[in-house]
Amino acid sequence: ICSSSPTISATISWRTGSRPCPSTRPGQGACRSWAVRGRGCAEPGRAGPGGVQDRPKSYTGAPEAPGEGAGRVAMSSKLVFLDIDGTLADERHEVPISAQEACKAARSRGHKLVICTGRSMPKIERGILDLGFDGVISVAGAQADVNGRVLFRHDIAPEAIDAATAYFERHGIENYQWQGADGMYISCGYARHLESKGSAVWKNGQFARYWHLIDDIAVPDGSTLGHVIHASKGSYFSGADPDVSFDDVSRDLGEWFTLVHGSYDDISPNNGELLINGVDKGTALCDVAKDLGYSIADTIAIGDSDNDTAMLKAAGTSVAMGNATHGIECFCDMTTTDIHDDGIANAFVTLGLI
């Protein structure tokens, strides 16, 4: 955990220029014009984000307390989308103190913060939610909870779950899970993986009731697993010598899913997340921004990996963490410092949020 009052000489880089707009995602309505900084869902005629400082600053501890200037908003209110793993929280699922303070200070200045994670709601620790957020986008954009209500929820079609599950079994991929608002449904292989890590999270603690072994699910005669469970995202990782590659899986399951790289690169040559076609963190960002009355130009997204790509490309301003993977920093507007080097706090200072 970072110190509550670090002294840092941060190096935060900005990108300039623009890129062509990628193909339109289904279901995004009129959110189509490309923002000045190269991505969008931005409204026609809108420039890039205003009030962004072009020179990096260094984070030097907690911002002013309320009553010492915290009520002053130096820029128009921004809507900030934050990934969890590798962005807001580290590998121990701990949020650095500097990030906690930065989030609190940004909200005190009138900005809104929204979690945008691949995790399902039951997988998010209460300690993270209690930091205070204005909304949560979960299961990689398939569900959004805003101001105490479910804004939308998309479930995977039963036949898609059945097709992917059969595919995994056919190709010897033993480690997979399905997750959604009802919980996490895991294969025996994935359960063994958790146990090998010494993780008992699926057996006890605040999450226990949400974890289910697929082999224990009662499937009535004439029905299938896909018709019994409700899930919004799948994920998997293969063994050391798979007979199919990530590209093979992406092609073979493309009728039902869009694949993005997962977070198991250190233990598996083929791992990924299965997203509902046309539904991702980017489409969710656009929908939440519209619901809260923000233009895309006033949105900021911060992430660290390939599964954040859609969100980063949809936002008015995109920020890659210093620990980013899969080359996402190449298309982001700026790169902040590592999560262990006050990345969130430094980004918030540079962007003028605090």
Side-chain angles (χ1 to χ4, degrees), residues 40-226:
C41 299
E43 294 83 355
R46 289 302 297 263
V52 175
Q53 298 170 327
D54 290 323
R55 292 191 302 272
K57 292 184 178 181
S58 295
Y59 179 72
T60 56
E64 319 168 311
E68 297 178 335
R72 300 194 302 269
V73 179
M75 60 194 297
S76 61
S77 177
K78 300 297 180 183
L79 181 59
V80 185
F81 295 84
L82 296 163
D83 174 51
I84 293 181
D85 297 297
T87 299
L88 183 65
D90 63 18
E91 65 276 5
R92 299 182 302 275
H93 293 198
E94 295 176 355
V95 180
I97 292 175
S98 62
Q100 297 179 36
E101 293 175 343
C103 288
K104 180 179 179 180
R107 293 189 78 211
S108 76
R109 285 156 172 74
H111 306 296
K112 292 187 181 296
L113 307 184
V114 176
I115 287 174
C116 193
T117 179
R119 299 192 201 180
S120 58
M121 282 295 289
K123 235 181 166 182
I124 304 174
E125 292 90 347
R126 175 49 55 186
I128 291 178
L129 294 174
D130 285 345
L131 293 176
F133 293 92
D134 299 284
V136 177
I137 294 171
S138 56
V139 279
Q143 179 172 329
D145 296 72
V146 179
N147 294 327
R149 75 189 194 283
V150 178
L151 181 61
F152 57 79
R153 170 180 162 180
H154 305 286
D155 285 337
I156 301 171
E159 58 270 22
I161 292 176
D162 293 334
T165 300
Y167 183 88
F168 293 151
E169 294 176 352
R170 189 162 61 250
H171 290 283
I173 297 175
E174 299 180 347
N175 311 288
Y176 59 90
Q177 67 170 312
W178 300 103
Q179 56 178 299
D182 298 338
M184 286 69 68
Y185 302 89
I186 63 176
S187 66
C188 288
Y190 191 81
R192 288 192 295 271
H193 165 70
L194 292 177
E195 291 174 343
S196 71
K197 292 172 51 182
S199 174
V201 66
W202 67 284
K203 287 186 176 178
N204 52 52
Q206 61 177 303
F207 302 122
R209 64 193 177 99
Y210 295 111
W211 289 86
H212 314 281
L213 277 171
I214 290 175
D215 283 1
D216 292 341
I217 301 295
V219 178
D221 291 341
S223 188
T224 66
L225 177 68

Side-chain angles (χ1 to χ4, degrees), residues 164-165 167-169 171-179 185 187 189-190 193 233-239 242 244-253 257-265 267-275:
T165 300
Y167 183 88
F168 293 151
E169 294 176 352
H171 290 283
I173 297 175
E174 299 180 347
N175 311 288
Y176 59 90
Q177 67 170 312
W178 300 103
Q179 56 178 299
Y185 302 89
S187 66
Y190 191 81
H193 165 70
K233 188 189 83 166
S235 60
Y236 75 94
F237 64 92
S238 72
V244 288
S245 67
F246 175 87
D247 289 339
D248 291 332
V249 179
S250 181
R251 180 196 64 235
D252 296 343
L253 298 181
F257 300 102
T258 297
L259 261 68
V260 296
H261 289 283
S263 55
Y264 296 99
D265 286 347
I267 63 173
S268 171
N270 178 7
N271 67 97
E273 298 184 4
L274 284 69
L275 312 183

